[in-house]
């Protein structure tokens, strides 16, 4: 059986066809322009491909409440052409199929939980640290939505004593995204992350912020495993620094076999940066099963 | 149909008999001594009462993983007589009934979600701020456990610029419980909360910490409503201060109808301090239904 998968990002759209085993059979990328340019291209791609359902993991914020009049919309995004845009509805008009819909990062959490590094545990979170910071939460076979969906890239943190940088978030002077996203690293140090590999202070400060956020997630969501993905996390030297800081900050308070085995508790994404699009395949499958 | 309800606290045990509508038909309290003294009294109370099931909301940490060898145990509590104690197993030996088991504060979250202030919403959190600080999380008809259970009373916070107090948590210099529990107020100011009612600075600092924690929970769990209970929250002047600080800290980032209506988003517990024991009745009912 074939499924369509669409990872809708603010700068590019990844379109793929996969099967029920999460195998990607074909994949293309197109730039995210305005809906009137981009949506017809998306529809064109999937038409005639005989997919049974489509799964969309979208940038946000989005409306995931099936009882809401604006279910399936991208809502208050600063990308104005897409603000208050009925993404699911406009695609469904031309592709009358079951369409699964969730946040991009819930898609990644689902991809890893279905086929990747968290497939053996009941609950997990996936954190992407790149241009922005987002988290997806997988719990007991489903994805966490709640009132809206997690926006835990914006959790508030204490500043590192040596960090005088004011952050890049327009909303919060001291949130994770403002202090630890790729753009914040670049603005703080005047270079891209990839060109700062040998500057230890960069990664000490970065790990300090990421670890603080993880401690909050651990205490609040109690996930069985934490996956870190996104461009910044390609700097693999961060992992031991983060694990050690999380252990220091928890200070023995949470005692579980998982926490005692940090190397297998805080782990890199394992699906070669395909966790998002593979998660969209699973969103499609789940939507079809729920019909 | 009758259900037994046991709210197992570190200083007292509340024992009750209720019916399927959450009505408490009788209730007693006994001090929490050692298991060898207290457990026989508990068993004595429920024996012959013709209850169909028992629900226990317990102090912790506790093991909620039904696949674990120590399911039903109180684990690493500093109350040493109860550490590594098989609470459910020892009660079940004498009362061979379905026994529902969860944290005390998950019990309170469930009580409010079933019969109280959050019965109309799909997800909610209940935070108790008293001798300790704990949170219970109700999501899509169930309670959040994860790897352990939320321990979000210990989320890390930024210190208030005017607060030089070092906190009372032995694990964390700047966690919510250490900075905002009843004992922390008493130690910081040299008086009990109830005798500080007219000292505005006390409540400004208190609201500052509680609001920071709530912002973390909102961004991470995205609950439809937040209930604040426990002894400290009987200081009702805290509510407007907390709501206003949460709004200030979120700074317009999360836009939902719920957040726009703060008076109905952050609310006091509504079951006259019976939310915990009523939640235990529901734990018993749910356990019976799952048999």
């Amino acid at each position: 059986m074939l499924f369509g998968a669409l990872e809708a990002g603010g700068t590019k759209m990844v379109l793929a066809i996969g099967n029920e085993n999460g195998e990607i059979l074909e994949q293309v990328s197109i730039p995210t322009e305005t809906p009137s340019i981009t949506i017809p291209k998306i529809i064109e791609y999937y038409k005639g491909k005989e997919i049974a359902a489509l799964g969309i993991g979208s940038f946000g914020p989005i409306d995931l409440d099936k009882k809401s009049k604006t279910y399936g919309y991208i809502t208050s995004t600063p990308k104005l052409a897409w603000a208050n845009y009925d993404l699911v509805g406009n695609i469904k008009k031309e592709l009358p199929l079951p369409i699964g819909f969730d946040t991009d990062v819930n898609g990644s959490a689902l991809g890893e939980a279905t086929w990747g590094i968290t497939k053996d545990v009941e609950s997990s979170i996936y954190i992407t640290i790149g241009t922005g910071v987002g988290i997806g939460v997988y719990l007991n076979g489903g994805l966490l939505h709640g009132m809206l969906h997690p926006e835990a890239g914006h959790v508030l943190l204490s500043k590192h004593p040596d960090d005088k940088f004011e952050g890049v978030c327009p909303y919060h002077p001291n949130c994770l995204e403002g202090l630890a996203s790729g753009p914040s690293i670049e603005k703080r140090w005047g270079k891209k992350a990839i060109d700062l590999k040998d500057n230890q202070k960069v990664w000490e400060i970065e790990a300090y912020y990421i670890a603080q956020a993880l401690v909050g997630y651990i205490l609040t969501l109690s996930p069985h495993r934490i996956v870190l993905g996104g461009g910044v996390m390609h700097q693999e030297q961060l992992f031991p620094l983060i694990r050690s800081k999380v252990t220091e900050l928890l200070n023995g308070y949470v005692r579980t076999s998982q926490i005692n085995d940090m190397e297998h508790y805080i782990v890199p994404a394992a699906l070669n940066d395909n966790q998002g699009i593979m998660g969209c395949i699973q969103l499609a499958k789940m939507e079809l099963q729920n019909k």
Side-chain angles (χ1 to χ4, degrees), chain A residues 136-210:
Chain A
V137 180
Y138 178 84
L139 283 173
N140 305 322
L143 294 162
L144 177 64
H145 296 161
M147 165 180 71
L148 179 67
H149 43 68
E151 281 285 0
H154 289 262
V155 289
L156 307 179
L157 306 176
S158 296
K159 289 290 287 280
H160 187 288
D162 299 338
D163 185 21
K164 306 296 171 222
F165 180 59
E166 72 277 15
V168 297
C169 175
Y171 293 95
H172 312 116
N174 59 330
C175 76
L176 178 63
E177 179 166 304
L179 294 171
S181 60
S184 81
I185 296 174
E186 191 173 340
K187 195 164 175 202
R188 181 189 287 110
W189 302 97
K191 289 182 192 176
K192 282 191 185 296
I194 204 161
D195 300 318
L196 291 159
K197 210 171 171 89
D198 299 325
N199 185 334
Q200 285 194 331
K201 196 76 189 172
V202 172
W203 308 110
E204 178 205 320
I205 289 178
E206 183 72 7
Y208 177 82
Y209 291 131
I210 295 170

Side-chain angles (χ1 to χ4, degrees), chain A residues 6-244:
Chain A
L6 168 62
E7 210 179 352
T11 54
K12 67 174 179 175
M13 301 275 174
V14 180
L15 297 78
I17 305 295
N19 66 19
E20 66 275 17
N21 303 316
E23 286 159 348
I24 299 164
L25 306 174
E26 55 171 282
Q27 178 170 328
V28 298
S29 260
I30 60 173
T32 301
E33 299 177 79
T34 63
S36 62
I37 297 171
T38 305
I39 294 295
K41 291 182 185 172
I42 289 171
I43 288 160
E44 182 61 29
Y45 177 81
Y46 294 109
K47 266 207 170 157
K49 292 257 166 65
E50 301 192 349
I51 55 175
L54 173 65
I56 305 176
S58 177
F59 72 105
I62 60 178
D63 188 343
L64 295 174
D65 177 2
K66 289 202 167 180
K67 288 176 292 190
S68 159
K69 275 187 278 188
T70 54
Y71 169 77
Y73 279 57
I74 297 172
T75 60
S76 58
T77 173
K79 288 190 69 79
L80 294 180
W82 295 87
N84 303 311
Y85 179 73
D86 182 6
L87 182 63
V88 172
N90 279 295
I91 293 178
K92 202 158 199 160
K93 257 188 249 163
E94 304 293 326
L95 295 168
L97 296 167
I99 299 182
F101 183 56
D102 218 305
T103 64
D104 43 8
V105 72
N106 262 349
S108 294
L110 184 61
E112 291 287 352
T114 309
W115 290 294
I117 193 77
T118 51
K119 69 180 175 192
D120 61 325
V121 292
E122 290 155 53
S123 72
S124 54
I125 61 177
Y126 179 96
I127 302 145
T128 181
I129 305 176
T131 311
V133 179
I135 95 164
V137 180
Y138 178 84
L139 283 173
N140 305 322
L143 294 162
L144 177 64
H145 296 161
M147 165 180 71
L148 179 67
H149 43 68
E151 281 285 0
H154 289 262
V155 289
L156 307 179
L157 306 176
S158 296
K159 289 290 287 280
H160 187 288
D162 299 338
D163 185 21
K164 306 296 171 222
F165 180 59
E166 72 277 15
V168 297
C169 175
Y171 293 95
H172 312 116
N174 59 330
C175 76
L176 178 63
E177 179 166 304
L179 294 171
S181 60
S184 81
I185 296 174
E186 191 173 340
K187 195 164 175 202
R188 181 189 287 110
W189 302 97
K191 289 182 192 176
K192 282 191 185 296
I194 204 161
D195 300 318
L196 291 159
K197 210 171 171 89
D198 299 325
N199 185 334
Q200 285 194 331
K201 196 76 189 172
V202 172
W203 308 110
E204 178 205 320
I205 289 178
E206 183 72 7
Y208 177 82
Y209 291 131
I210 295 170
Q212 270 190 66
L214 296 196
V215 165
Y217 306 151
I218 292 168
L219 292 166
T220 307
L221 291 162
S222 201
H224 284 80
R225 192 170 295 143
I226 295 174
V227 186
L228 293 171
V232 170
M233 293 313 303
H234 289 153
Q235 301 294 318
E236 290 175 8
Q237 70 275 21
L238 275 169
F239 282 91
L241 298 173
I242 291 168
R243 291 181 188 123
S244 144

